[in-house]
């Protein structure tokens, strides 16, 4: 059985930016990853009523305010390292970036999601129950689950999977670990894209001041965290 999770990312400054992250994990790996992810948060005294997501990693005003930024980055490093085993990746990530006017993000999300799923989903293996798949998406108020189903189910069928019941949208929380992984890696990938390409930022700040600049430190931390992911495939769509 294949588990698939989806989340999207944007940027407050570069409002045209749209990223979509798809996470795939075999059912045999899911229980271990979820339980250890949650144990890391508990052992770090993270408030379980507050989701641990990408946007809270570098922001003292969001997330669990009792946990300092440097400790949040340590938590992120630990949960990212869970995505790998000694031999290979436990979780596979596929990330697609594009640019579109903010009012078109909903339409482009719906159009590009099946494109990314086609790249992310392998052909179904043979064997009883092995060709079952389930997909869980972060809640978007601008998306209709019926339209989403019409877009994503044919991709699974083409790969010879049988969909487990219906695609589902969730409000992400402590228990939606697959969606949180899509959120965290998608957020970090988006920060790398947008900060690294922010010419105005680098023009205004001389190199000798980079180590003290919050955005540049965020870029460096994001690069370091993403580098720990063994299997991250990235794509770009030009509109």
């Amino acid at each position: 059985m294949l588990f698939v999770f989806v989340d999207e990312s944007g940027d407050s400054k570069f409002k045209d930016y749209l990223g979509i992250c798809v996470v795939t994990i075999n059912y045999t790996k899911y229980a271990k990853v979820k339980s250890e992810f949650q144990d890391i948060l508990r052992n770090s005294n993270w408030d379980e009523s507050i989701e641990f997501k990408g946007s809270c990693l570098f922001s003292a005003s969001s997330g669990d305010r009792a946990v300092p930024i440097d400790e949040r980055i340590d938590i992120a490093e630990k949960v990212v390292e869970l995505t790998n085993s000694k031999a290979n990746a436990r979780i596979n990530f596929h990330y697609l970036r594009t640019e579109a006017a903010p009012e078109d993000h909903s339409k482009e999300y719906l159009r590009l999601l099946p494109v990314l799923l086609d790249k992310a989903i392998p052909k179904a293996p043979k064997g009883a129950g092995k060709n079952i798949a389930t997909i869980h998406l972060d809640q978007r108020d601008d998306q209709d689950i019926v339209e989403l189903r019409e877009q994503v189910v044919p991709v699974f069928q083409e790969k010879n999977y049988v969909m487990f019941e219906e695609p589902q949208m969730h409000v992400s929380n402590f228990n939606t670990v697959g969606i949180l992984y899509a959120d965290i890696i998608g957020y970090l990938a988006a920060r790398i894209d947008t900060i690294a390409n922010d010419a105005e930022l680098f023009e205004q700040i001389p190199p000798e001041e980079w180590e003290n600049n919050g955005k540049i430190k965020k870029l460096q931390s994001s690069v370091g965290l993403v580098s720990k992911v063994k299997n991250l495939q990235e794509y770009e769509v030009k509109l």
Side-chain angles (χ1 to χ4, degrees), residues 80 185 188-189 192 221-229 232 234:
V80 169
I185 299 303
L188 293 171
I192 293 170
S221 294
S222 298
V223 169
L225 289 168
V226 168
S227 71
K228 296 181 180 299
V229 179
L232 169 61
E234 300 186 60

Side-chain angles (χ1 to χ4, degrees), residues 41-96:
L41 294 185
R42 292 188 182 106
N43 293 337
S44 302
N45 296 315
W46 185 268
D47 186 341
E48 293 182 23
S49 68
I50 302 172
E51 63 178 321
F52 184 79
K53 59 189 300 183
S55 61
C56 75
L57 291 183
F58 309 110
S59 173
S61 63
S62 62
D64 185 345
R65 298 186 183 185
V67 180
I69 299 298
D70 58 343
E71 292 183 22
R72 299 182 193 194
I73 295 172
D74 287 341
I75 295 171
E77 183 172 354
K78 290 175 183 176
V79 301
V80 169
E81 288 175 346
L82 281 181
T83 67
N84 306 317
S85 66
K86 289 183 179 179
N88 49 38
R90 292 191 180 101
I91 304 178
N92 299 313
F93 297 88
H94 291 256
Y95 185 75
L96 181 151

